[in-house]
Amino acid sequence: MKTTPSLAILLACSFAFIIVQLDVTIVNVALPEIGRELQAGVSQLQWVVDAYTLGFAVFLLSAGAMGDRFGSRSVFLTGFGLFTAASLACAMAPDALALNLARAVQGIGAALLVPSSLSILNAVYAHERKLLAKAIAWWTAAGGVSIAAGPVLGGILMSAFGWRSIFWVNIPICLIGFWLTLRVVPVIRHNGPARHFDIPGQLLAVIALTAFIGAVIEVHALGLTHPAVLGAFAVALVAAVLFVRVEARSAAPMLPLQLFKLVGFSPAVLFGVFVNFAYYGIIFVLSFYLQQVRGFSVLHAGLIFLPLTGTFLFANIASGWLQSRVGSRRPMIIGGVLGGIGYALLGVFGISTSASFWAMLPGLALIPAGMGLAVPAMTTAILGSVEKHQAGTASAVLNTARQVGGAMGVAVYGALVAAPATAAILSGIEIALGVSTVLLLGGALLAVSTNFNQGEKLCHS
């Protein structure tokens, strides 16, 4: 295999992340129209979003282990096929139940795509660590731009073709990615020890994550003390304890627990939780603020998020350049500080009943600038801390943690703006922005105290 892959390989992997991230946000703008056409209530509409998140998060660990066991290319192609089929089912769904089931399958397809795409990049650039950093930066940029562009693209498609078009648009993207993968992505042969499929570990991980994320999602609707919520948290705790015990005793665990002892691995995962908790939660409450408090249309609100798109792109590219010169640690520190300042500026100047777009702009520019610098570096630090044959599992751990963090952010921040009064909504958003500031600055301090570059050298020496 060549150590320097063609642009087409990076493009194929980027198509996967584009489609996965796009479906995180594009569906939000369509919910009112979906509700009217399918006669769905609020709780059913909530699950149009949450079913995707749930399917994505709970199967990431399994997908990472499958990639390491059966080969990243095969799992990657399966992910494209499953995502295409699920998107077709979403576009043709006759009712809300069918749509939500198809969205869950979409999430499983997304889970197959993300760790395997990172594993492919890690294998292809195995002996070119600086090029790997740049490739991951471009891969992250593709996803960052698509997640920021989702509300705008969704608004445009809906106004022209209706809500089903937001699912039809996935199909040509997936087909191009599938075709490119068949044409240019080589068969990735992992040289690590042969691994058996850890069925008990898979089942316990799915149960623990499903129960936990489901409970977090339902806290807002049912309340923290509701028996169903408390029961789900209890199931999650028991399953998690059993999972750790099973993995510790297994000869071929799905999640080798020694990964968390590697230099830089656990801090990078925690950094990812902080980033997603803050970002997904804030995007949710800002959408609520712009439409409910300011009275903007869906398309107008989406256009306000446009600064996120351009800043993400340039910051991701800059992260790759910076990592190739100074390693992963400094971009994570700088990114955490910039993101923290962005959240603080938005809280102080950008949130009121009359704040202008220009008052919001500094915060909206700095938040993705910080994330754009930090996330590719964080991902490179994770991949750099493990052996090549564990890349799928390592990236799955990171993305699972980030999805759980994002779900928690939406649930916690959503509860802060649940009151109908404008003053209560504004107060809740200000608290959320303050928490996000602390989390990003805490992530920067975590990076200061961790020598990620040492972990990369130890693993690949």
Side-chain angles (χ1 to χ4, degrees), residues 192-214:
R195 298 179 63 190
H196 300 288
F197 206 56
D198 178 14
I199 298 297
Q202 305 288 327
L203 292 176
L204 287 169
V206 169
I207 292 171
L209 289 169
T210 300
F212 179 75
I213 296 176

Side-chain angles (χ1 to χ4, degrees), residues 202-457:
Q202 305 288 327
L203 292 176
L204 287 169
V206 169
I207 292 171
L209 289 169
T210 300
F212 179 75
I213 296 176
V216 168
I217 289 170
E218 292 297 331
V219 163
H220 175 59
L222 301 179
L224 183 60
T225 59
H226 192 280
V229 173
L230 292 176
F233 277 128
V235 169
L237 178 60
V238 172
V241 171
L242 290 175
F243 173 77
V244 172
R245 293 188 63 182
V246 166
E247 297 304 280
R249 297 177 179 180
S250 175
M254 177 187 73
L255 177 57
L257 298 179
Q258 63 267 27
L259 289 180
F260 294 97
K261 298 179 181 179
L262 297 174
V263 176
F265 186 87
S266 294
V269 170
L270 186 58
F271 192 102
V273 173
F274 289 170
V275 167
N276 270 43
F277 186 103
Y279 184 73
Y280 280 75
I282 289 300
I283 291 299
F284 177 81
V285 296
L286 280 182
S287 300
F288 192 82
Y289 159 75
L290 291 171
Q291 295 182 57
Q292 298 296 324
V293 176
R294 304 301 301 274
F296 295 150
S297 68
V298 172
L299 185 57
H300 189 180
L303 290 172
I304 290 175
F305 287 122
L306 272 179
L308 300 176
T309 307
T311 314
F312 258 128
L313 177 61
F314 289 112
N316 284 150
I317 296 170
S319 179
W321 176 87
L322 189 59
Q323 286 181 73
S324 68
R325 286 158 175 77
V326 300
S328 302
R329 185 164 171 257
R330 290 184 191 176
M332 291 176 68
I333 296 170
I334 297 169
V337 171
L338 286 179
I341 293 173
Y343 286 120
L345 289 176
L346 191 59
V348 173
F349 300 110
I351 301 299
S352 72
T353 55
S354 59
S356 68
F357 170 76
W358 301 108
M360 299 179 68
L361 183 58
L364 291 176
L366 284 177
I367 290 168
M371 284 185 62
L373 283 173
V375 170
M378 171 187 68
T379 306
T380 303
I382 286 285
L383 295 178
S385 67
V386 302
E387 298 296 339
K388 186 174 69 173
H389 69 272
Q390 294 177 316
T393 298
S395 60
V397 171
L398 172 62
N399 283 286
T400 299
R402 292 182 65 190
Q403 288 301 311
V404 172
M408 291 176 63
V410 170
V412 173
Y413 289 177
L416 291 175
V417 298
T422 296
I425 294 173
L426 292 175
S427 176
I429 296 175
E430 289 170 357
I431 293 171
L433 287 164
V435 172
S436 295
T437 301
V438 172
L439 287 175
L440 267 292
L441 294 179
L445 288 175
L446 189 65
V448 168
S449 62
T450 304
N451 193 345
F452 294 102
N453 300 335
Q454 180 187 358
E456 295 172 19
K457 291 175 183 177

Side-chain angles (χ1 to χ4, degrees), residues 27 87 90-91 99 103 163-171:
V27 75
S87 296
C90 288
L99 177 60
R103 285 284 286 170
W163 69 266
R164 295 180 188 273
S165 64
I166 66 173
F167 298 112
W168 284 115
V169 75
N170 294 340
I171 295 174

Side-chain angles (χ1 to χ4, degrees), residues 94-178:
D95 52 43
L97 177 60
L99 177 60
N100 290 338
L101 290 174
R103 285 284 286 170
V105 176
Q106 259 192 328
I108 297 171
L112 294 175
L113 286 169
V114 172
S116 56
S117 65
L118 279 173
S119 184
I120 289 169
L121 290 179
N122 192 56
V124 172
Y125 285 101
H127 304 293
E128 299 281 354
R129 307 311 295 179
K130 291 183 179 180
L131 289 178
L132 174 63
K134 292 180 180 179
I136 290 176
W138 279 104
W139 179 86
T140 308
V145 169
S146 66
I147 198 171
V152 181
L153 179 60
I156 294 171
L157 287 172
M158 274 184 55
S159 62
F161 306 109
W163 69 266
R164 295 180 188 273
S165 64
I166 66 173
F167 298 112
W168 284 115
V169 75
N170 294 340
I171 295 174
I173 299 175
C174 286
L175 291 177
I176 293 171
F178 190 93

Side-chain angles (χ1 to χ4, degrees), residues 76-96:
F76 194 56
L77 288 168
T78 303
F80 269 129
L82 191 60
F83 204 100
T84 302
S87 296
L88 179 63
C90 288
M92 300 178 68
D95 52 43

